Amino acid sequence: MYRFFVQPQIDHSQKAVFGYELLLRKEMNGQWAVPKSFTELSLDKQAKLLEQLASQLQTKVTNQVLALNLNRQQAEDDLMLGTIIYLKKRLNPAALTIELTESSSLAEIQKYSLFFHQHDIKLSIDDVGTGSNTFENIQHALPFIDQIKFAMQNLRMSGQADRIPRELAFWRDVARAYHLEFILEGVENLGDQKMAEKQGVEWHQGYYYGKPRLVDDGRQLVNGGC
């Protein structure tokens, strides 16, 4: 069995949840775990799970965003565009953002942008500053997307936490220069929240606001951090 867990995305200035990132999980031995490969479950079946989740969250009423991750293999699937566009039509007027978790070519980004924007679907690049998502590699794609996400946890896990304030400021300025939405991931405590606030970053995501969890598990989706 597969389900989407959700993690809230917070507009700190408004003290409100504006959306949820969807994280695919698989039930194994009575526990939920990250699948070995996110292509284990077809994109069409993931779209159906997302539609069910949107109904549970009532996003047609709240206008909160649902953010779906696509890796490179999923993004290059010939059926991907049709699957996502058909999903958005079923979700209308609920908002949908597609997060690319791995680098794509400029030509691919241009194609995704053309078709997604015709159907009011936003396009995001995840984990900027990590791996191949350097500024030099994604610079020419930035005019075609809507959002970038900077994940502090990537630098923490690689023992480079001291670089976070400098890197955060850099990518914040990139977002402003290209008129992009900017989400800071990995907000784990009040100190992280204060640092983001000091740097003028208002859109946050992280354990401080809530761990990924099932919608129908009877618990609040957001902690007291926002």
Side-chain angles (χ1 to χ4, degrees):
M1 179 187 292
Y2 295 85
R3 293 285 299 274
F4 275 123
F5 280 46
V6 301
Q7 186 172 37
Q9 298 174 326
I10 306 297
D11 183 337
H12 181 59
S13 64
Q14 299 297 319
K15 310 295 183 186
V17 176
F18 70 84
Y20 299 95
E21 181 177 1
L22 310 184
L23 302 163
L24 189 65
R25 297 292 184 263
K26 180 180 181 180
E27 188 177 23
M28 293 184 288
N29 300 319
Q31 297 189 357
W32 294 99
V34 178
K36 291 182 179 179
S37 171
F38 291 102
T39 57
E40 289 179 12
L41 188 67
S42 70
L43 192 55
D44 180 61
K45 291 181 179 179
Q46 290 192 36
K48 291 176 181 177
L49 282 180
L50 192 156
E51 187 176 8
Q52 295 170 4
L53 182 60
S55 177
Q56 289 176 285
L57 290 170
Q58 299 183 321
T59 54
K60 287 186 179 182
V61 177
T62 64
N63 201 36
Q64 291 170 324
V65 181
L66 294 177
L68 176 66
N69 295 309
L70 294 186
N71 63 22
R72 188 170 181 82
Q73 184 177 349
Q74 292 170 316
E76 292 178 343
D77 189 318
D78 290 339
L79 300 180
M80 182 275 289
L81 285 171
T83 300
I84 297 301
I85 290 169
Y86 180 41
L87 169 65
K88 180 58 169 69
K89 289 179 178 180
R90 302 197 303 272
L91 292 177
N92 276 338
L96 178 64
T97 295
I98 298 301
E99 295 186 10
L100 300 177
T101 62
E102 297 176 282
S103 60
S104 298
S105 70
L106 177 59
E108 289 167 337
I109 293 286
Q110 290 171 328
K111 180 178 69 173
Y112 305 152
S113 176
L114 174 65
F115 285 98
F116 286 161
H117 289 154
Q118 288 177 358
H119 297 275
D120 199 27
I121 302 168
K122 290 187 176 181
L123 186 59
S124 173
I125 294 180
D126 199 6
D127 293 335
V128 293
T130 300
S132 61
N133 283 340
T134 63
F135 178 71
E136 290 75 17
N137 284 345
I138 69 172
Q139 177 181 5
H140 298 297
L142 294 176
F144 300 97
I145 67 170
D146 306 285
Q147 180 188 99
I148 57 176
K149 299 182 73 177
F150 176 74
M152 293 191 289
Q153 63 268 28
N154 291 335
L155 290 175
R156 286 173 175 146
M157 289 188 294
S158 63
Q160 302 178 80
D162 59 312
R163 291 178 49 199
I164 288 175
R166 182 174 69 254
E167 292 290 322
L168 173 57
F170 173 80
W171 287 106
R172 175 207 61 198
D173 290 346
V174 168
R176 289 175 178 174
Y178 284 86
H179 300 275
L180 303 173
E181 299 171 353
F182 183 59
I183 298 180
L184 175 63
E185 293 184 288
V187 178
E188 297 180 351
N189 52 50
L190 181 60
D192 288 345
Q193 186 187 72
K194 293 294 185 183
M195 178 184 64
E197 187 176 3
K198 184 177 180 181
Q199 294 217 28
V201 178
E202 296 293 352
W203 284 12
H204 308 168
Q205 183 179 338
Y207 280 17
Y208 187 53
Y209 306 104
K211 295 182 179 180
R213 59 185 64 175
L214 287 168
V215 172
D216 57 356
D217 64 2
R219 295 176 289 173
Q220 287 182 310
L221 287 174
V222 185
N223 296 332
C226 68

